[in-house]
Amino acid sequence: NIGIDNNVFNQPDDLNPKSDFTFTATPAADLWLRIGRTWVVGRIAEDFNWYQTYASERNASTGYSVGWHVPLTRLGFKVDAARRNARDRPGFEIDARVPRVESRFNGLLELKTFSKTFIGVTATRLRNDYDETSFFLGTSLRFQLNRTTTGFGLSLRHELTPLTSISLTAGRSEDRFDFSPLRNSVSTNISGNVTLDKFALIRGGATLGYTDFHPEAPGLADYQGLTGAVNLSYTLLGSTRFGFEFGRDVLYSYDVNQPYYLQTRLGGSIAQQIFGPLDVVVRGSIATLAYRDRAGADVTVSNRVDDVNSFGAGIGYHLGRDTRLGFNVDQSYRRSDVSNREYNNLTFGSSVTYGF
């Protein structure tokens, strides 16, 4: 992507937001290696962001993953590991591009009980390590957010068709913080999942469930309710592509007085081929960040809710089967009862996408 970012630091209007010319490149490669009946899979991805004037915002992030998938006759297992050395915005809340390391390990052991039904045991370990230089609004993210998440669960999976499977999972996880034990928590989750192969009519996956999030320190309310993640796409008559995204989960805030929030996001896109190699795309998303107060804490706005929305459109020209040249315009903004947390941002420029 090459273009103009009209609010580099996500500043409110009264602070005279800074504009800059920017260039972004995101090369990635997926790898597969078959060894007997097993598969070794991997992915390498880079994110480069360059700003002409504000050199402090130039950054690069590297991610890589590797997995070993062993589908035996009755008993199979998968192990996957990933690591990302990042210097970008962690999400909708933190506007600084901060250095950190994210690592993940997943394990799955499955027993085939019937011809298309599997019972499994899962294990997960996640690690978030913010650099000692990672600060946001005067808060040390290393002190507040460095943590380890460990989880175990049971799963029941059934293959409806060669391209579609459904599953039911139940699990329990613990978050343990290195320097801020008041944030420690335990979560219990029950969810249903549908997985659709990339060659199916509808592609992607959907997970919806119930989560009981319990902070261990007194004075902070639990969350009990819906969580999930949905990412689906459908192509109509080979010329119109619909995309749909939904996400709802409990996330940790940098603010010790409002230590977590419930993030709900809904997004979608429509891409329409006009004629020949020319297409147009419209897209949008809305998100809410609903904060929870620590009892007795001095907060600016109690149990506040921030809105983070974005809308955009683009026009593209396909230079062959795998290459698309586009021009995009996107407007994003955050609305909050805390004035210094608001911003408006307009970005526009050209893009080149290559892949399949």
Side-chain angles (χ1 to χ4, degrees), residues 39-78:
W39 286 92
V40 176
V41 298
R43 180 176 176 82
I44 302 172
E46 294 279 353
D47 294 291
F48 301 101
N49 293 280
W50 184 83
Y51 287 84
Q52 182 176 13
T53 302
Y54 297 101
S56 64
E57 302 308 294
R58 298 172 187 169
N59 62 83
S61 300
T62 304
Y64 43 90
S65 64
V66 63
W68 187 30
H69 299 177
V70 184
L72 302 178
T73 304
R74 297 286 297 178
L75 191 67
F77 67 88
K78 298 179 182 179

Side-chain angles (χ1 to χ4, degrees), residues 186-207:
V186 177
S187 296
T188 304
N189 176 268
I190 299 175
S191 62
N193 176 270
V194 177
T195 302
L196 304 163
D197 191 88
K198 64 180 181 178
F199 296 109
L201 184 63
I202 300 176
R203 307 174 184 179
T207 300

Side-chain angles (χ1 to χ4, degrees), residues 38 91 96 98 117 156 159 188 332 337:
T38 74
V98 291
T117 304
L156 176 64
E159 295 179 342
T188 304
S332 59
D337 291 327

Side-chain angles (χ1 to χ4, degrees), residues 241-244 267-271 281-284:
R241 184 177 184 273
F242 300 90
F244 174 78
S269 64
I270 301 175
V281 180
V282 293
R283 54 186 168 266

